[in-house]
Amino acid sequence: ISKGSLAGGGTFSYGVTTPGVESTVTVSFTAKGRIKAGGSVSVVLQEDQEMTGSPVVIFTSPASDVTVSNPTWTAGTKELVFQTAGSGSIVEDGRVTFTIGGVRSPSSVTGASTASVTIYHPDGTNAGDVVDAGTLTMGAISAGSIASGAFESAIDTPGVRSQVTVT
């Protein structure tokens, strides 16, 4: 028996696609193998992406009987690992969607990139325990825009130096 490969093109979608902004990310993919309760999910990000020390992960699909336990972010390896919990399992060829709160987008404008995801059997997180593995596609991070601003001078006389306030 060999490990599966994620089907249907997985995605890692930022809630806000502006550089350096913390938002909630939605991860979605189709699992080829069954993911039993107690199985681990590993998501590895690219350089210049980060999460809060205690990310909040919530399954939205399947939503009724699969939950998350022990989400752990390791900044040095850019890896989020958590275990599936609850009374259910994720069926083979099942659509998986979860959100991750507290993810900061890259600090500068970037093109589309990828993250990797690996699903492990409840027995462990070694190479022989892999159920599924694949790549998640991330959209581009684009420059933001200033919604409004003001340039106010203390003295509005041409040719006179003045204190200026920019907001």
Side-chain angles (χ1 to χ4, degrees):
I1 298 176
S2 60
K3 71 178 178 181
S5 180
L6 300 181
T11 59
F12 184 100
S13 303
Y14 284 97
V16 178
T17 57
T18 303
V21 176
E22 186 177 304
S23 68
T24 297
V25 165
T26 301
V27 175
S28 187
F29 57 87
T30 298
K32 290 305 286 180
R34 179 175 171 230
I35 304 170
K36 295 170 63 175
S40 296
V41 177
S42 165
V43 178
V44 179
L45 303 181
Q46 302 288 327
E47 190 172 323
D48 197 26
Q49 296 170 317
E50 53 193 51
M51 294 185 193
T52 59
S54 302
V56 176
V57 181
I58 300 170
F59 275 99
T60 56
S61 176
S64 61
D65 56 358
V66 177
T67 59
V68 171
S69 70
N70 303 319
T72 304
W73 168 249
T74 305
T77 58
K78 303 290 183 188
E79 181 179 32
L80 169 68
V81 177
F82 61 88
Q83 287 74 44
T84 60
S87 60
S89 61
I90 299 169
V91 299
E92 64 184 76
D93 294 322
R95 192 70 181 162
V96 177
T97 304
F98 56 88
T99 59
I100 308 168
V103 181
R104 187 169 304 282
S105 60
S107 61
S108 62
V109 173
T110 63
S113 62
T114 61
S116 64
V117 63
T118 306
I119 314 299
Y120 296 95
H121 187 273
D123 289 343
T125 55
N126 297 311
D129 300 319
V130 174
V131 174
D132 285 330
T135 301
L136 304 172
T137 302
M138 296 183 196
I141 301 297
S142 55
S145 61
I146 297 173
S148 64
F151 185 90
E152 300 289 333
S153 60
I155 301 171
D156 292 332
T157 304
V160 176
R161 287 185 179 204
S162 168
Q163 178 86 18
V164 174
T165 303
V166 178
T167 57

